[in-house]
């Protein structure tokens, strides 16, 4: 009766996903009826709705670490409270534990055209921001998410584009005495990113194997200095 649903949105290099169960109105009064005002609600049916951020974000200007959070709400006629809980395994509002709150927000509900099933929507996506909207019956409740896309992109690039991967490839070739010419290109690429003891040591050994003994001595002396 309340089918599972998942929505996913990338903002820059950050993935945001929401997993929830989607109940229907079915002719009932939802707000202040099926869902009472002033009480904690698990934001859907079955297990608590969860939201996952692959990176640290800001939610309505508040810092929130990367991870998975249960979303609880306390609806009111004029104001809602949105709760991000570190416990995402709750199977009902009765299991909610206030001590595990990571963040609480106060937001204003807005009128919305009729929506039979409870739905989460991502809107107004930019390279750094997105709005997350809960829509059901005749209301919409929203909060904004902001990510530091430029800083995150550079951070991820530095992790991937480092001296390590090409060093490891060259080291493998040296240890197995194979593919030495290409290994030399790989170790040169590694030292372009950063000259450290480890890659210069491998470079010196490759130079020696390839008959470049004078270069090998100079490279190993530099490696010793760094070491």
């Amino acid at each position: 009766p309340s089918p599972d649903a998942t929505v996913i949105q990338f903002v820059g290099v950050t993935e945001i996903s929401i997993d929830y169960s989607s109940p229907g109105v079915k002719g009932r009064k939802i707000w202040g009826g099926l869902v009472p005002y002033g009480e904690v609600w698990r934001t859907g049916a079955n297990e608590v709705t969860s939201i996952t951020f692959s990176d640290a974000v800001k939610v309505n200007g508040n810092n929130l670490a990367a991870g998975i959070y249960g979303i609880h709400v306390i609806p009111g006629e004029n104001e809602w409270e949105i709760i991000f809980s570190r416990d995402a395994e709750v199977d009902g509002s009765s299991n909610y534990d206030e001590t595990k709150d990571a963040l609480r927000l106060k937001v204003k509900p807005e009128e919305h055209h009729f929506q039979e099933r409870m739905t989460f929507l991502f809107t107004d996506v930019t390279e750094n921001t997105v709005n997350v909207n809960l829509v059901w019956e005749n209301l919409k409740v929203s909060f904004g998410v902001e990510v530091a896309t430029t800083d995150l992109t550079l951070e991820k690039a530095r992790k991937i584009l480092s001296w390590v991967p090409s060093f490891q490839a060259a080291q493998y070739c040296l240890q197995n005495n194979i593919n030495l010419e290409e290994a030399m290109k790989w170790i040169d690429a590694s030292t372009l990113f950063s000259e450290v003891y480890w890659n210069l040591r491998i470079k010196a050994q490759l130079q020696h194997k390839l008959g470049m003994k004078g270069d090998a001595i100079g490279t190993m002396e530099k490696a010793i200095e760094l070491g």
Side-chain angles (χ1 to χ4, degrees):
S2 300
D4 291 340
T6 301
V7 287
I8 298 173
Q9 178 67 54
F10 276 86
V11 182
V13 294
T14 300
E15 181 180 347
I16 304 170
S17 63
I18 302 174
D19 292 290
Y20 64 102
S21 295
S22 181
V25 174
K26 301 177 183 176
R28 300 171 292 184
K29 175 177 171 58
I30 301 303
W31 310 119
L34 180 69
V35 181
Y37 291 135
E39 296 182 15
V40 175
W41 181 51
R42 63 184 180 275
T43 323
N46 307 321
E47 294 180 353
V48 67
T49 289
S50 65
I51 187 167
T52 304
F53 303 102
S54 64
D55 299 295
V57 299
K58 286 188 175 183
V59 180
N60 281 11
N62 301 277
N63 292 322
L64 197 59
I68 180 170
Y69 299 91
I71 302 179
H72 300 270
V73 296
I74 304 176
E77 290 190 60
N78 301 307
E79 187 175 68
W80 281 40
E81 198 159 9
I82 301 177
I83 304 164
F84 295 84
S85 170
R86 296 183 184 89
D87 186 358
E89 301 297 325
V90 176
D91 59 7
S93 296
S94 60
N95 302 111
Y96 164 68
D97 183 352
E98 187 175 349
T99 64
K100 296 180 180 178
D101 288 359
L103 176 65
R104 282 187 174 226
L105 306 172
K106 290 187 176 180
V107 299
K108 299 290 185 183
E110 302 174 38
E111 290 186 5
H112 193 273
H113 62 79
F114 182 79
Q115 179 82 23
E116 170 62 27
R117 287 205 171 273
M118 194 195 83
T119 304
F120 278 90
L121 301 171
F122 292 105
T123 60
D124 306 304
V125 184
T126 72
E127 201 162 290
N128 298 286
T129 60
V130 65
N131 286 330
V132 180
N133 309 277
L134 165 62
V135 181
W136 196 21
E137 196 196 45
N138 56 0
L139 285 185
K140 177 179 78 170
V141 178
S142 306
F143 58 86
V145 178
E146 181 181 354
V147 297
T149 295
T150 298
D151 292 343
L152 287 167
T153 302
L154 293 175
E155 179 185 326
K156 292 172 189 285
R158 290 185 185 112
K159 286 179 180 177
I160 297 170
L161 302 173
S162 72
W163 64 270
V164 178
S166 52
F167 155 77
Q168 291 174 328
Q171 182 183 45
Y172 175 82
C173 293
L174 176 66
Q175 289 173 342
N176 292 279
N177 199 32
I178 59 170
N179 199 41
L180 299 181
E181 297 284 351
E182 190 170 17
M184 194 69 216
K185 294 178 182 178
W186 290 339
I187 205 65
D188 281 340
S190 175
T191 58
L192 279 174
F193 282 110
S194 183
E195 287 189 341
V196 298
Y197 166 77
W198 300 105
N199 58 14
L200 287 178
R201 174 174 172 269
I202 295 298
K203 182 173 182 176
Q205 292 177 79
L206 283 168
Q207 287 172 327
H208 185 264
K209 276 188 173 289
L210 291 169
M212 304 160 62
K213 294 187 179 180
D215 292 334
I217 291 170
T219 301
M220 186 59 85
E221 286 175 344
K222 192 171 184 180
I224 291 168
E225 286 178 21
L226 289 173

